[in-house]
Amino acid sequence: MSADQLRPDRIPSHVAIIMDGNGRWAEAQGLERNEGHRAGIEAVRAVIRGANDLGIRYLTLYAFSSENWGRPQDEVRELMQLLDRYLVEEIDEVMEKGIRIRAIGRLDRLPPGTRKEVENATRKTAGNDAMDLVFALSYGGRAEIVQAARRIARDAAAGEVDPHAIDEKLFASYLYEPEVPDPDLLIRTGSESRVSNFLLWQIAYTEIYTTERMWPDFREEHLVEAVRNYQARERRFGKTSAQVSSPASTSVGTSGSEDPA
Ligand code: IPE
Ligand code: IPE
Ligand code: MG
């Protein structure tokens, strides 16, 4: 599958990826799980290159979940070190490509060295605007929603937010990176069909693509295949197929899903 078989006018603006299957990939070859994480770095490089070539504007990679803190200590340590090293080694290429790095999640829980590298990378790339690369680190979708609710409650108590003015738009502005639009396409490798606490709010209408391929084997052509699959779909957002295929047809209801109290 090559990129020239894609429709350039229907490239998803935001692709999010649950990079799963490193451990099983390693175990299947009699290797340590950590070898799978190391091999996964090559797949990260490949999808960043691929996304950049396809003109995908936002790429979010789920690198470490809030639940992953419960893994064996040496695995957690390895993952943090890989992230550290990745950020140090890739920064020149990231700058060259004009990629802006962002990070979402409970960064305060990261080891100080890793956190420092994450902050350096986000600061150093803040002026870049060719593509946004968002790392979900120590990330949990429920925790993100809860922190938004807590901050809204605090601002309401301080008189800065009118409780009647709280709607979906205002709520979303309290999430980690409100400037990043919702994902159009969510890819999960490693053959599971679950969201594992990823971007719960943002994936309300995201197209989901799963593949049995394990993350260390994922390359540009597999990203292209996922995008091709996405392009063959009809996104209806609750409307009928006829409405979607002829945009001139009218609807009685409003387009939003707000239910004013
Ligand atoms: C994904 O691979 C990487 C992280 C979750 C950090 P896994 O480590 O979950 O691999 P499997 O699912 O055990 O094969
Ligand atoms: C999801 O993978 C998290 C990341 C890819 C970072 P997991 O392997 O942790 O997911 P579960 O536990 O199988 O749902
Ligand atoms: Mg897994």
Side-chain angles (χ1 to χ4, degrees), residues 20-21 24 33 71 188:
D20 195 21
R24 280 165 289 159
R33 290 179 55 83
R71 292 196 178 192
R188 183 171 187 147

Side-chain angles (χ1 to χ4, degrees), residues 161-258:
V161 163
D162 171 4
H164 299 274
I166 301 171
D167 56 10
E168 291 181 14
K169 189 159 170 260
L170 182 128
F171 196 93
S173 75
Y174 279 81
L175 297 171
Y176 289 133
E177 286 286 0
E179 286 171 31
V180 176
D182 292 344
D184 300 291
L185 171 63
L186 170 64
I187 299 171
R188 183 171 187 147
T189 60
S191 77
E192 311 290 2
S193 301
R194 54 176 174 258
V195 293
S196 302
N197 203 11
F198 190 40
L199 302 177
L200 298 181
W201 173 279
Q202 296 88 340
I203 61 172
Y205 252 109
T206 298
E207 297 296 327
I208 300 179
Y209 174 87
T210 59
T211 166
E212 286 176 9
R213 193 171 297 280
M214 298 292 148
W215 178 250
D217 289 331
F218 199 84
R219 290 292 179 275
E220 284 103 319
E221 66 259 37
H222 308 119
L223 175 67
V224 171
E225 173 55 29
V227 171
R228 189 205 55 79
N229 182 291
Y230 164 88
Q231 291 191 338
R233 302 183 190 190
E234 183 180 62
R235 300 185 77 186
R236 289 189 289 277
F237 298 100
K239 296 192 176 179
T240 67
S241 189
Q243 283 176 302
V244 172
S245 52
S246 83
S249 62
T250 51
S251 63
V252 258
T254 58
S255 58
S257 54
E258 286 293 279

Side-chain angles (χ1 to χ4, degrees), residues 64-66 69 104-107 109-110 136-140 176:
F64 194 86
S65 72
S66 44
W69 288 116
I104 55 173
R106 285 282 309 274
L107 307 182
R109 294 183 72 187
L110 298 175
L137 304 171
S138 182
Y139 175 86
Y176 289 133

